[in-house]
Amino acid sequence: MPRPRVHDLDQLLDVAERLVVDDGPERLTVRRLSAAGGVPNGAIYHAFGSLAALRGRMWLRAATDFLDLQAALIDEALGTSPTPEDAMNAVVAAADAPAVVADRRPAAARMLMTVRREQLLGPELPEELADSLLGLDRRLVSEVLCRLSTAMWGRQDGPSVEVITTCVVDLPTALLRRPLRQVDADGAVRIPADVRERLAAAVRAVLDREPPSR
């Protein structure tokens, strides 16, 4: 018997990301992915089990890679003995993470920034993937929000974490979402330098005012 064909699952998830951002999350089906990726329906179901699991794996992969990069940018900015300026630079770097991801994996950046998680993931998501997503949410709080809040002000209470959330979630979403929707013919996304500079300036302006007491 011939050996079964081995498919690159990461490559298939790349195709799925492009379908989501180009055609809309509601149009991602196994049949469309099969046609676009050149992989039989049966092989997709064998690899992922269900469309819900495939969607969960796709989102989890992109979100994990994003958080890993964001944490690395924070590490680089803070160094070993961070100064107040280092702490502010770390928040700016964390806010700029979507633009960095857009340079490397434009479809993943577009999906994370322009598609709501609820549009892809529903109650039929397998429990193990739901648990992994909860773990990722906890990592975001501990490794990004609380860490930056502590670096900036030596505290991680609600008001201080809320300010950091404004800087690394709300402002990037507001300023980067539009350029992320402007895609070149080759699928690349090029966020203008002035947009990234405005984002950095906005983050610094927010950080200039210390959070209120709890």
Side-chain angles (χ1 to χ4, degrees), residues 149-185:
S149 179
T150 301
M152 279 296 305
W153 304 293
R155 48 190 278 209
Q156 47 183 257
D157 52 61
S160 60
V161 171
E162 183 63 29
V163 172
I164 297 298
T165 302
T166 297
C167 292
V168 305
V169 178
D170 300 335
L171 288 175
T173 300
L175 295 178
L176 300 181
R177 179 174 286 178
R178 184 178 299 172
L180 279 168
R181 289 195 171 106
Q182 299 169 359
V183 186
D184 292 346

Side-chain angles (χ1 to χ4, degrees), residues 8-193:
D8 186 330
L9 297 187
D10 277 325
Q11 191 173 57
L12 190 61
L13 291 175
D14 289 343
V15 175
E17 288 175 351
R18 289 196 295 272
L19 288 175
V20 166
V21 296
D22 289 342
D23 301 333
E26 69 284 349
R27 300 198 64 191
L28 176 62
T29 64
V30 171
R31 178 173 294 184
R32 287 175 61 82
L33 180 58
S34 172
V39 178
N41 286 6
I44 294 175
Y45 280 113
H46 178 74
F48 297 100
S50 68
L51 178 60
L54 185 152
R55 290 169 172 243
R57 288 272 299 275
M58 175 185 61
W59 185 275
L60 185 64
R61 182 187 71 147
T64 299
D65 290 348
F66 176 85
L67 186 56
D68 288 344
L69 171 67
Q70 197 171 46
L73 292 172
I74 292 170
D75 285 341
E76 182 179 0
L78 288 179
T80 55
S81 301
T83 65
E85 183 62 24
D86 292 333
M88 186 171 289
N89 289 338
V91 182
V92 171
D96 191 57
V100 178
V101 174
D103 288 338
R104 304 178 185 184
R105 289 180 53 196
R110 292 170 62 203
M111 181 181 69
L112 291 172
M113 296 294 289
T114 65
V115 177
R116 297 193 311 274
R117 190 163 78 175
E118 296 76 15
Q119 292 179 273
L120 278 171
L121 311 180
E124 69 277 11
L125 185 69
E127 184 177 354
E128 62 179 281
L129 289 176
D131 290 342
S132 296
L133 287 168
L134 285 175
L136 202 61
D137 291 341
R138 296 189 189 100
R139 276 191 62 197
L140 171 64
V141 172
S142 64
E143 297 181 20
V144 176
L145 304 181
C146 287
R147 185 181 183 199
L148 290 174
S149 179
T150 301
M152 279 296 305
W153 304 293
R155 48 190 278 209
Q156 47 183 257
D157 52 61
S160 60
V161 171
E162 183 63 29
V163 172
I164 297 298
T165 302
T166 297
C167 292
V168 305
V169 178
D170 300 335
L171 288 175
T173 300
L175 295 178
L176 300 181
R177 179 174 286 178
R178 184 178 299 172
L180 279 168
R181 289 195 171 106
Q182 299 169 359
V183 186
D184 292 346
D186 59 358
V189 174
R190 294 176 176 84
I191 298 177

